[in-house]
Amino acid sequence: MQKDIVQQVLNHPKYVELVKRRTRVSMIFFATALIIYSGFILTLAYLPDLFAQPLGEGWTMSVGVLTGILVVFSAVIMIALYVHFSNKYFDPLLEQVVRDVE
Amino acid sequence: MKKTLISALLLSLFAQPAFAGTGQANTSAIVMFLLFIAGTMVITWWAARKTQTTSDFYTAGGGITGFQNGLAIAGDYISAASFLGIAGLVYVSGFYGIIYAIGFLFGWPVVMFLIAERLRNLGRFNFADVTAFRLGQTQMRILASSASLLIIALYLIAQMVGAGKLIVLLFGIEYKFSVVIIGVLMMIYVFFGGMTATTWVQIIKAVLMLTGGTLLAGLVLYQFGFNADTMLAEAVRVHPNGVEIMAPGTAVSDHPLNALSLGIALAFGTAGLPHILMRFFTVSSAQEARKSVIWASSFIGYFYLLTFIIGFGAIALLVRHPEYFTTAADGSFNMLTDLIGGTNMAAVHLSNAVGGSLLLGFLAAVTFATIVAVVAGLALAGAAAIAHDLYANVIARGRSTEAQEMRISKISILVLGVLAILLGIVFEHQNVAFMVGLAFAIAASANFPVLVLSVSWRGCTTRGATIGGFVGLLFATVWVVLSKTVWVDVFGNVDPITPFPNPGIFSIPLAFLSIWFFSITDKGANAQNERDAFDALTVRSQTGIGRSGATEH
């Protein structure tokens, strides 16, 4: 790729906006995923008794098993939300940058 | 020519039941199995006609849609190791199995939020292509192929041994024969059909696996009036460990750091697995790559939920069927140690218990095909490492023709196939669970840090990435070799040298630190050029500008 195209893109205001917003959004998502996941792993490693409790009177399912199931759902939901963000906000910005440069 | 060869091989496959008579061959399982093999052979034949260039061979020419690719990724994930293995783990220790499932799954958000799109925009084949974009070709490709080949070898062993055992149980064929069959089938798929065939086999398999799993879990829940808690209550009632199966258990509380370390390796390893990364390049655009991740994680998440039901259901139901256990003279048995074929076969026995031999046959055929397909994907990634990284770019230094590269990859497939068969036979009696764990640990310690820093940190240089990557690779490998799983269980020493088996919690930060340290102290002229090239890489990885075709390299 030629140097001038690189510079042209780097100086494009929409590109700057795109990179700034996308980096922020993906970092927020990544941090959330990390908190959920490490929260789950840390709890089971250091507070196993909390996870061992049954959900309530008459239940066999434990807090840990339900949390595990919810954690599985959370992963899929986070990815779906991120893709929604990308399609709705980032792709239009990206298209504009590409159109202006090429 | 190809056609006759394939039909000859097909014929020899149909002749198999002749030597299947040595054990308790299951007729419906064999019929299902042969139907599936025949179907996939037709796909391979069809794909072989379409596979002309190296790009077709490695990435199916970028012509796979996001939904299809999502299924194929899910197919790679729903391997025999995760389906049989996690169901088996849940069967033995309940909650503990869930940890693995969640770890495997959480690799996806990491991949998605950190690197998927940027890799996709760069438009490269694999890990080495991405890192060599601005860092030194030779060093990066040597690092990448070392790590990739090690990961692939470990994975191959785990899958071959798992498949071998399954076939012994179901078809009554001798272990060595079944390993040879898997190896030969794998070579046929990859050799003639390349990525197009491998992808389509994965897609079909994923659909069948999801259908079979849904059916099995549904039939299990049906027995308990579709009330999951009733099923869990019954599982707790009959399991020797009782209510403990609902809790993390002593395995975790004795070594909390080990659980943490395993968790980290599982989540970050996905991003460094060569056969998974390659799949981002089989689709035509970043949008499609994104779609494929959404589909893949949905299917994988759904399938793991099914696996929990199947695992707990197996605890609750299998105990009612003494015929699945090796019983003592008085008819008593231990549900954990006496299950025929080992606890990994829990899901297989369960399908027989709730769905009869037809469901058993279906699930067995699909599970077997799963292994062949995963092995094929692995072999393809291995061939890419040898032919594309080592041969075309390091040995021939880019002067090779496409035809030469194709020839080398086909030779590599043959070598890898023979190697897989041999390793499968040699490691027949070894515990293979740790191999998948080690593969993830190496991917997370060697590939992942290099990949992330080379695309996101300007300061990263060839020296830093090479030293850091190898430090991660060696540290993780040596740690595992000195741990209980190898030092004690395989080599027969009395005490392990490392305190617990999973290295991730140390090896991953160590790799990051080494890359950082050896990069900032790198004052060479090349280092400056590499830092300057970061702008071009950033622009391309953020926008895809400069990437002319989907899969051109």
Side-chain angles (χ1 to χ4, degrees):
Chain A
M1 196 176 359
Q2 291 100 344
K3 263 220 149 77
D4 52 324
I5 294 187
V6 172
Q7 277 314 318
Q8 209 185 327
V9 176
L10 282 175
N11 295 331
H12 197 295
K14 290 272 196 251
Y15 172 80
V16 179
E17 193 189 337
L18 170 73
V19 171
K20 210 173 100 190
R21 285 175 64 181
R22 186 153 65 185
T23 310
R24 198 172 57 211
V25 169
S26 36
M27 278 303 128
I28 291 171
F29 271 98
F30 180 62
T32 315
L34 219 55
I35 289 168
I36 294 177
Y37 182 65
S38 52
F40 179 76
I41 300 283
L42 286 170
T43 312
L44 73 89
Y46 292 101
L47 298 169
D49 293 342
L50 183 68
F51 272 0
Q53 282 173 9
L55 285 183
E57 198 68 25
W59 282 86
T60 308
M61 190 181 283
S62 64
V63 175
V65 172
L66 182 69
T67 313
I69 293 169
L70 292 178
V71 167
V72 169
F73 278 112
S74 77
V76 178
I77 292 169
M78 276 188 294
I79 290 177
L81 274 178
Y82 179 80
V83 171
H84 173 75
F85 258 95
S86 294
N87 290 345
K88 194 161 177 195
Y89 301 107
F90 304 144
D91 280 358
L93 274 175
L94 178 61
E95 264 165 43
Q96 243 175 322
V97 177
V98 174
R99 212 178 319 123
D100 288 354
V101 174
E102 279 179 349
Chain B
M1 164 63 203
K2 266 181 193 163
K3 237 169 159 176
T4 38
L5 197 61
I6 291 173
S7 40
L9 282 158
L10 259 176
L11 276 176
S12 67
L13 277 166
F14 276 110
Q16 267 163 33
F19 58 84
T22 51
Q24 288 140 24
N26 179 312
T27 320
S28 58
I30 292 175
V31 171
M32 291 277 190
F33 169 71
L34 291 177
L35 272 178
F36 193 95
I37 301 296
T40 50
M41 284 295 161
V42 173
I43 295 166
T44 310
W45 168 76
W46 164 79
R49 292 189 312 170
K50 290 182 60 173
T51 305
Q52 310 293 347
T53 63
T54 48
S55 143
D56 286 341
F57 190 70
Y58 294 137
T59 65
I64 305 278
T65 71
F67 176 73
Q68 292 163 346
N69 197 45
L71 275 172
I73 294 174
D76 271 331
Y77 246 69
I78 309 171
S79 67
S82 58
F83 173 55
L84 299 178
I86 292 175
L89 268 175
V90 174
Y91 177 75
V92 175
S93 40
F95 186 87
Y96 191 67
I98 294 180
I99 303 174
Y100 271 88
I102 289 176
F104 287 136
L105 182 66
F106 257 74
W108 285 106
V110 173
V111 168
M112 187 72 200
F113 305 148
L114 283 187
I115 50 173
E117 281 188 51
R118 307 195 58 184
L119 297 193
R120 178 54 238 185
N121 282 332
L122 283 171
R124 297 292 166 124
F125 277 151
N126 60 19
F127 166 78
D129 283 326
V130 171
T131 48
F133 187 88
R134 88 183 154 108
L135 304 179
Q137 282 267 3
T138 317
Q139 295 92 323
M140 282 302 103
R141 289 191 194 276
I142 291 173
L143 170 69
S145 26
S146 313
S148 300
L149 288 174
L150 198 55
I151 294 166
I152 288 162
L154 290 164
Y155 242 95
L156 273 177
I157 297 171
Q159 300 287 348
M160 294 298 277
V161 175
K165 298 278 174 193
L166 180 74
I167 297 310
V168 171
L169 178 76
L170 287 166
F171 298 85
I173 311 170
E174 229 185 283
Y175 177 80
K176 284 191 183 91
F177 273 125
S178 56
V179 172
V180 171
I181 294 169
I182 302 159
V184 170
L185 276 177
M186 174 273 274
M187 284 190 266
I188 297 170
Y189 288 150
V190 184
F191 206 87
F192 297 108
M195 195 58 153
T196 315
T198 316
T199 305
W200 278 104
V201 171
Q202 283 293 29
I203 292 171
I204 293 168
K205 178 216 98 181
V207 172
L208 291 177
M209 200 81 176
L210 286 163
T211 317
T214 307
L215 202 62
L216 180 54
L219 285 169
V220 168
L221 285 177
Y222 169 74
Q223 308 250 337
F224 297 98
F226 289 98
N227 183 336
D229 206 56
T230 316
M231 176 188 78
L232 291 178
E234 176 67 9
V236 166
R237 196 179 68 79
V238 300
H239 197 282
N241 296 344
V243 77
E244 268 180 40
I245 60 171
M246 291 284 110
T250 49
V252 174
S253 52
D254 289 350
H255 288 288
L257 267 184
N258 189 42
L260 206 60
S261 198
L262 171 72
I264 295 174
L266 292 180
F268 292 111
T270 306
L273 288 179
H275 63 297
I276 299 285
L277 278 186
M278 228 167 141
R279 291 223 174 271
F280 287 119
F281 307 105
T282 58
V283 289
S284 57
S285 67
Q287 283 85 345
E288 292 297 318
R290 223 179 273 150
K291 251 191 247 165
S292 65
V293 174
I294 230 182
W295 283 116
S297 55
S298 309
F299 289 133
I300 296 165
Y302 172 68
F303 194 77
Y304 282 154
L305 292 180
L306 294 180
T307 318
F308 300 163
I309 299 173
I310 293 167
F312 282 116
I315 303 176
L317 294 173
L318 286 190
V319 76
R320 299 175 188 175
H321 296 267
E323 69 269 25
Y324 300 144
F325 297 88
T326 325
T327 47
D330 60 349
S332 67
F333 59 87
N334 178 330
M335 69 175 281
L336 297 186
T337 52
D338 295 338
L339 192 65
I340 294 171
T343 50
N344 283 340
M345 294 297 130
V348 179
H349 287 301
L350 185 67
S351 64
N352 199 2
V354 297
S357 67
L358 207 63
L359 186 62
L360 170 74
F362 177 77
L363 219 69
V366 178
T367 310
F368 178 80
T370 296
I371 298 165
V372 176
V374 171
V375 168
L378 285 167
L380 200 61
I386 296 170
H388 186 65
D389 296 335
L390 281 184
Y391 175 76
N393 286 301
V394 174
I395 297 170
R397 295 195 179 275
R399 285 190 302 265
S400 62
T401 64
E402 199 155 289
Q404 280 171 322
E405 194 182 323
M406 267 308 256
R407 208 182 65 229
I408 299 285
S409 24
K410 295 204 161 171
I411 295 171
S412 316
I413 295 283
L414 280 181
V415 174
L416 283 168
V418 173
L419 194 72
I421 293 171
L422 290 178
L423 288 174
I425 291 171
V426 170
F427 283 87
E428 180 188 348
H429 298 295
Q430 302 290 0
N431 170 7
V432 292
F434 79 89
M435 289 182 183
V436 174
L438 176 58
F440 267 85
I442 291 174
S445 319
N447 288 359
F448 175 71
V450 174
L451 201 56
V452 166
L453 289 185
S454 83
V455 295
S456 62
W457 180 44
R458 179 184 298 273
C460 180
T461 71
T462 304
R463 192 178 82 159
T466 314
I467 297 177
F470 273 111
V471 164
L473 177 71
L474 289 175
F475 186 91
T477 313
V478 171
W479 178 284
V480 173
V481 170
L482 297 181
S483 76
K484 186 180 172 296
T485 37
V486 181
W487 196 248
V488 178
D489 296 350
V490 179
F491 293 156
N493 293 294
V494 184
D495 287 312
I497 293 172
T498 45
F500 49 81
N502 288 294
I505 198 163
F506 299 114
S507 58
I508 300 168
L510 186 70
F512 272 105
L513 265 178
S514 312
I515 298 173
W516 170 78
F517 180 77
F518 289 102
S519 290
I520 55 157
T521 53
D522 189 357
K523 304 285 182 215
N526 276 341
Q528 200 47 50
N529 289 339
E530 285 159 15
R531 290 185 195 112
D532 292 342
F534 185 70
D535 282 338
L537 175 127
T538 311
V539 165
R540 181 149 149 181
S541 74
Q542 292 281 4
T543 63
I545 293 170
R547 172 179 52 91
S548 44
T551 54
E552 236 174 28
H553 62 293

